[in-house]
Amino acid sequence: MEGKSTDKKDYNTCSLNYALKLISSKWKLPIIWALSQNKKLRYNELRREVSGITNMMLAQSLKELESQGIVLRIQYMEIPPRVEYSLGESGQELIDALSPLTKWGKRMKDKSL
Amino acid sequence: MEGKSTDKKDYNTCSLNYALKLISSKWKLPIIWALSQNKKLRYNELRREVSGITNMMLAQSLKELESQGIVLRIQYMEIPPRVEYSLGESGQELIDALSPLTKWGKRMKDKSL
């Protein structure tokens, strides 16, 4: 019984740590947030939305977020080629999952004023 | 209209950042987690639950968490005096608010296997 409870604990902490690690880099949440507010953005639009980000960090973050299914990269076969970024299913689910934490943060901030 | 939307965006990101800052230190989540699993813990019990934490870090983290209303410190007027720590209202709300993010982390981890 006690072993079972420890398993559950480790397992939950582990999933939460995994989530926090996925979003904890300086730029990932701002990128995800910009895409959640704008539905679709081209690379240069995204770079303007995420103020202060360098090309290297944006390209690298997008690559990682794409590989995790959080961000979708859609390339249109036009001339000149057009690429748009939007939130993937996991990215939309993340935005929803962060909503209670955002509300908690707001309550805590209001209390501290 | 556009100004309003920008306000909303900044405001939401800001509340989320505030929440993440409150819980982002290495030891706070493990302490909160241990208290959520055990209801009440004395200092030494808590120290055993949070493996690897030093006295200095535990005392400092508890002080901060207490001042934010996340952790309650109850001192019983006994001889010798007994002190117990438990989750405060904000701490319990935090555990609830983290649940969707934990579930998201689990889904992401399962996908990556």
Side-chain angles (χ1 to χ4, degrees):
Chain A
M1 205 48 191
E2 201 175 312
K4 209 173 169 184
S5 135
T6 308
D7 285 355
K8 186 173 169 277
K9 185 167 68 180
D10 291 347
Y11 157 91
N12 279 338
T13 329
C14 186
S15 297
L16 179 58
N17 282 340
Y18 190 84
L20 289 173
K21 230 171 70 184
L22 282 184
I23 60 171
S24 66
S25 92
K26 185 178 173 188
W27 296 110
K28 283 188 182 168
L29 269 185
I31 291 171
I32 293 165
W33 195 264
L35 289 173
S36 83
Q37 299 288 308
N38 294 277
K39 307 296 167 212
K40 283 179 182 182
L41 287 175
R42 299 178 71 158
Y43 183 91
N44 283 328
E45 292 170 332
L46 190 50
R47 195 177 161 191
R48 272 194 299 273
E49 285 285 320
V50 183
S51 62
I53 197 166
T54 61
N55 267 325
M56 205 178 86
M57 287 316 296
L58 180 54
Q60 190 187 315
S61 304
L62 281 173
K63 219 171 170 175
E64 286 174 26
L65 290 168
E66 207 190 321
S67 76
Q68 292 150 355
I70 297 173
V71 164
L72 286 181
R73 179 185 187 276
I74 302 162
Q75 181 162 355
Y76 296 89
M77 289 306 159
E78 300 172 354
I79 295 170
R82 179 163 58 104
V83 174
E84 283 182 346
Y85 295 92
S86 59
L87 281 192
E89 204 187 323
S90 300
Q92 192 51 58
E93 286 170 3
L94 173 62
I95 290 290
D96 297 341
L98 285 172
S99 162
L101 189 60
T102 306
K103 281 179 195 147
W104 180 82
K106 173 166 174 13
R107 285 197 301 274
M108 293 300 285
K109 211 167 60 173
D110 290 347
K111 269 191 218 171
S112 77
L113 294 179
Chain B
M1 205 48 193
E2 201 175 313
K4 209 174 170 185
S5 135
T6 308
D7 285 353
K8 186 174 170 277
K9 184 166 72 179
D10 291 346
Y11 157 90
N12 279 338
T13 330
C14 187
S15 297
L16 179 57
N17 282 340
Y18 191 83
L20 289 173
K21 230 172 69 184
L22 281 184
I23 60 171
S24 67
S25 92
K26 187 180 173 188
W27 297 110
K28 284 188 181 168
L29 268 185
I31 291 170
I32 293 164
W33 196 263
L35 288 173
S36 82
Q37 299 288 308
N38 294 279
K39 307 297 168 211
K40 282 179 183 183
L41 286 175
R42 299 178 71 158
Y43 182 91
N44 283 327
E45 293 170 331
L46 190 50
R47 197 179 160 189
R48 272 195 297 275
E49 285 285 321
V50 183
S51 62
I53 196 166
T54 61
N55 267 324
M56 203 178 88
M57 287 315 297
L58 180 53
Q60 190 187 315
S61 304
L62 281 173
K63 219 170 170 177
E64 287 174 25
L65 290 168
E66 208 191 319
S67 76
Q68 292 151 354
I70 297 173
V71 165
L72 286 182
R73 180 186 186 275
I74 301 163
Q75 182 164 351
Y76 295 90
M77 291 304 158
E78 301 171 354
I79 295 170
R82 179 164 57 103
V83 174
E84 284 181 346
Y85 295 92
S86 59
L87 281 191
E89 203 188 323
S90 300
Q92 192 51 58
E93 286 170 3
L94 173 61
I95 290 290
D96 297 341
L98 285 172
S99 161
L101 189 59
T102 306
K103 282 179 195 146
W104 180 81
K106 174 164 173 15
R107 286 198 300 274
M108 293 301 284
K109 212 167 62 175
D110 290 348
K111 269 192 217 171
S112 77
L113 293 179

